[in-house]
Amino acid sequence: MWRRLLVPVPLLLAGLTVTVDGQRNPPSRAQSLQAPSQLAEAQSVLARGDSTKAIAILSDYLQAHPKDISARLGLARAYVIAEQNDKAEAEFQTILNVAPANISALAALAELYLHEGQLDKA
């Protein structure tokens, strides 16, 4: 049940990408055509339960857009669903290293720690 709480948060935020430095930048024309389709596809396959495909899509996207926090958060959530908690934790920590006040990453990481019984970290 706890995994369902991580999924509903949308990967897209009003057509803007949020970068690791906290800036919201409008995408370039090429990015605006590519990014929404890749992120929407990842969100769609994740909603259908195909975390493996979502991980592949988001990992590929992040190769070209490593500062996109929304995509990185989606990847971490996909790892949680795939029960790859070490990788999920690493992605949440990557987000928090550059955006320590990111509420979504903080909450999801705390929930992950609680689920794993690591109350001292939660």
Side-chain angles (χ1 to χ4, degrees):
M1 175 175 166
W2 68 275
R3 281 186 243 143
R4 283 186 262 157
L5 298 175
L6 296 175
V7 177
V9 178
L11 295 175
L12 301 176
L13 299 172
L16 299 175
T17 57
V18 180
T19 61
V20 292
D21 57 6
Q23 301 295 314
R24 286 181 178 247
N25 298 319
S28 70
R29 176 129 173 90
Q31 288 175 329
S32 67
L33 297 175
Q34 176 192 25
S37 64
Q38 281 184 288
L39 297 179
E41 181 183 5
Q43 186 175 13
S44 176
V45 298
L46 194 56
R48 289 192 309 264
D50 191 348
S51 57
T52 302
K53 187 170 182 179
I55 289 167
I57 293 166
L58 291 165
S59 294
D60 181 57
Y61 175 82
L62 284 165
Q63 291 296 316
H65 306 90
K67 294 183 176 183
D68 188 332
I69 289 178
S70 297
R72 194 159 301 281
L73 195 54
L75 179 59
R77 291 182 174 129
Y79 281 136
V80 168
I81 292 167
E83 297 182 6
Q84 297 180 34
N85 293 344
D86 290 342
K87 290 181 179 181
E89 179 182 1
E91 291 299 330
F92 289 132
Q93 290 294 353
T94 298
I95 294 166
L96 294 172
N97 284 338
V98 294
N102 186 293
I103 301 297
S104 296
L106 285 167
L109 186 57
E111 192 171 358
L112 180 65
Y113 288 147
L114 285 172
H115 174 73
E116 292 181 335
Q118 299 182 46
L119 302 180
D120 57 320
K121 290 184 177 182

